[in-house]
Amino acid sequence: MKKIILLIISALFFSTNSFAYYTYGSGASTCKEWVSDEDSDSSLVSSRRAWTSGYMSGLNAGVGQELFFDDGIDLSTTYDYIIFYCRAHPDDSPASAIAEMIIKIRKENSKDKKQN
């Protein structure tokens, strides 16, 4: 089941053909914008944290499974990861950062389960 969820998330976020989608709100900005505004506008940062919370909740609802909190990932950690990712990938989107984070978590969990 987890492999199917990972496949769906990967297809949704990384497909350029059949799964085209538009991200609304703060998530429509580029990573470059998120990073450049990080230290300058606290109301914008608050808005982006709220977008992150809603996006995480939407993903959970969309797949019908908890993707974050079961793995100890909270809003603050996710937001910090978005900024980390965006510094390295300025032309990407914040949604791409979240998708990569989920994929990394799932891969790490798979490794842990194989070792146990």
Side-chain angles (χ1 to χ4, degrees), residues 1-2 5 9 53 55-75 78 101-102 105-106 109:
M1 180 66 171
K2 288 184 180 187
I5 291 169
I9 291 170
S53 176
Y55 198 79
M56 291 168 66
S57 297
L59 285 173
N60 287 337
V63 298
Q65 178 182 347
E66 176 58 58
L67 297 173
F68 302 95
F69 299 112
D70 286 349
D71 295 311
I73 304 299
D74 60 10
L75 174 60
T78 303
M101 185 182 76
I102 293 169
I105 290 168
R106 296 297 171 207
N109 285 348

Side-chain angles (χ1 to χ4, degrees), residues 1-8 110 114:
M1 180 66 171
K2 288 184 180 187
K3 287 182 181 181
I4 293 171
I5 291 169
L6 183 61
L7 180 63
I8 291 169
S110 293
K114 287 179 183 178

Side-chain angles (χ1 to χ4, degrees), residues 91-106:
D91 295 327
D92 284 358
S93 71
S96 296
I98 293 174
E100 181 180 282
M101 185 182 76
I102 293 169
I103 290 168
K104 285 184 175 187
I105 290 168
R106 296 297 171 207

